[in-house]
């Protein structure tokens, strides 16, 4: 009942010209896809190009990598939910670990962004994850518990299924290290029980929880077979259209 969702996070890569040829190659290679939702999350400068391309190819949904919580105003360098909506953006990443560690994004900022996104009709992909030190000291559940409870504070149960929770262990992002399917499943099951506690079981069961951290074509199928893993947020391996298409196919295979 939860459609798997694969989201390509391009981070600060690919120009709008490269984005155009990417989409062409990706669509050509991936063919028809019915059971998996595909989201491409380029840098802001490529959003108009992708908006045009995805308008012609309803297979692709569009995402953004960030937004500001205010509607408009003197916030040089920031982007608003309205601006994203005007370009047909549907999803927005909030609280990615790179934003948290490199740009000082706090749980409180994440929470404000989640509310702004929902009010504007955008679907947040809210990222949570522990560092290696936190894992080694046995505080995974404590860290994730705090990030989830703070990030989702004030969200109504009705809105929860519009949010995608992305579990991204920081030690697995861009490092080539992946959580094993069993390790990831254990955390996803914990996150779902946490959502059931904070909201209720039926909305927790309808909310998608993605895994992110060095997902590639070779490890996708095993991860996607796990019952609580509802898709993936993919960085490095999504920069090549052929590799992202292989990840889509591996996900479809896991569903068979
Ligand atoms: C990410 O940035 O969300 C991510 C998971 O990156 P990578 O796939 O490169 O580890």
């Amino acid at each position: 009942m939860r459609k798997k969702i694969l989201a390509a996070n391009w981070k600060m890569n690919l120009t709008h010209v490269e984005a155009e040829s990417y989409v062409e190659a990706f669509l050509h290679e991936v063919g028809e896809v019915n059971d998996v939702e595909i989201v491409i999350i380029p840098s802001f400068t490529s959003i108009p190009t992708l908006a045009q391309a995805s308008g012609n190819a309803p297979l692709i949904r569009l995402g953004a990598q960030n937004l500001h919580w205010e509607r408009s105003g003197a916030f040089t360098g920031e982007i608003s939910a309205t601006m994203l909506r005007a370009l047909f953006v549907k999803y927005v990443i909030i609280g990615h670990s790179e934003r948290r560690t490199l740009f000082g994004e706090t749980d409180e900022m994440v929470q404000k962004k989640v509310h702004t996104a929902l009010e504007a009709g955008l679907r947040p992909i809210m990222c949570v994850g522990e560092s290696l030190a936190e894992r080694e000291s046995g505080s995974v559940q404590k860290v994730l518990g705090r990030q989830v409870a703070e990030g989702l504070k004030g969200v109504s149960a009705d809105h929860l299924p519009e949010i995608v929770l992305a579990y991204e262990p920081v030690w697995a992002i861009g490092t080539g290290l992946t959580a094993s399917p069993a390790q990831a499943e254990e955390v996803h099951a914990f996150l779902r029980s946490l959502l059931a506690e904070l909201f209720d079981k039926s909305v927790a069961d309808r909310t998608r929880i993605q895994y992110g951290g060095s997902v590639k074509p070779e490890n996708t199928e095993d991860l996607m077979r796990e019952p609580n893993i509802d898709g993936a947020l993919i960085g490095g391996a999504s920069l090549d259209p052929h590799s992202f298409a292989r990840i889509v196919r591996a996900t479809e295979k896991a569903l068979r």
Side-chain angles (χ1 to χ4, degrees):
M1 77 185 177
R2 296 185 298 266
K3 190 169 188 173
K4 298 239 192 252
I5 175 167
L6 298 174
N9 174 15
W10 289 0
K11 311 192 186 189
M12 199 173 72
N13 294 292
L14 304 183
T15 65
H16 73 284
V17 178
E18 290 164 330
E20 204 167 339
S21 42
Y22 179 110
V23 172
E24 206 176 298
F26 175 72
L27 289 173
H28 177 74
E29 182 147 344
V30 84
E32 197 183 317
V33 181
N34 294 312
D35 300 328
V36 180
E37 187 171 357
I38 298 170
V39 186
I40 295 186
I41 309 178
S43 49
F44 295 134
T45 54
S46 295
I47 289 179
T49 307
L50 267 278
Q52 204 169 8
S54 60
N56 299 330
L59 179 69
I60 298 174
R61 299 209 197 282
L62 193 48
Q65 296 177 19
N66 192 16
L67 88 169
H68 194 273
W69 57 84
E70 294 289 349
R71 291 195 167 275
S72 62
F75 302 101
T76 303
E78 294 294 332
I79 194 144
S80 76
T82 316
M83 292 167 187
L84 298 176
R85 287 286 287 156
L87 284 167
F88 309 104
V89 169
K90 182 159 182 159
Y91 288 93
V92 60
I93 298 178
I94 297 176
H96 190 281
S97 67
E98 285 151 16
R99 303 270 347 146
R100 291 179 191 258
T101 55
L102 303 173
F103 301 100
E105 207 156 292
T106 62
D107 288 328
E108 197 194 344
M109 289 154 94
V110 168
Q111 183 193 118
K112 289 202 261 187
K113 290 181 179 198
V114 166
H115 284 277
T116 299
L118 289 171
E119 279 158 24
L122 289 165
R123 295 179 164 217
I125 296 179
M126 189 183 99
C127 302
V128 296
E130 81 285 358
S131 66
L132 188 57
E134 288 162 341
R135 175 161 279 263
E136 286 175 348
S137 68
S139 38
V140 175
Q141 296 196 354
K142 187 171 148 228
V143 171
L144 298 181
R146 189 203 71 231
Q147 291 175 341
V148 171
E150 291 296 313
L152 298 180
K153 196 184 273 173
V155 170
S156 73
D158 292 351
H159 275 130
L160 186 68
E162 286 163 35
I163 294 172
V164 177
L165 193 58
Y167 169 55
E168 298 212 303
V170 179
W171 49 271
I173 297 180
T175 58
L177 297 172
T178 321
S180 68
Q183 259 175 337
E185 171 60 21
E186 187 186 351
V187 176
H188 282 232
F190 162 72
L191 288 170
R192 200 173 304 287
S193 67
L194 186 64
L195 293 177
E197 228 174 83
L198 294 171
F199 297 88
D200 72 56
K201 186 170 179 324
S202 75
V203 286
D205 284 343
R206 283 191 282 129
T207 303
R208 293 177 294 181
I209 307 177
Q210 280 181 320
Y211 170 76
S214 300
V215 171
K216 33 188 182 286
E218 297 73 24
N219 59 22
T220 299
E221 190 183 334
D222 287 344
L223 284 161
M224 294 306 129
R225 282 193 190 285
E226 296 294 340
N228 282 293
I229 300 184
D230 307 316
L233 182 55
I234 308 125
S238 75
L239 291 176
D240 172 24
H242 309 290
S243 150
F244 190 41
R246 285 175 63 206
I247 289 173
V248 175
R249 280 204 297 273
T251 303
E252 288 183 301
K253 200 163 164 213
L255 291 170
R256 273 183 226 130

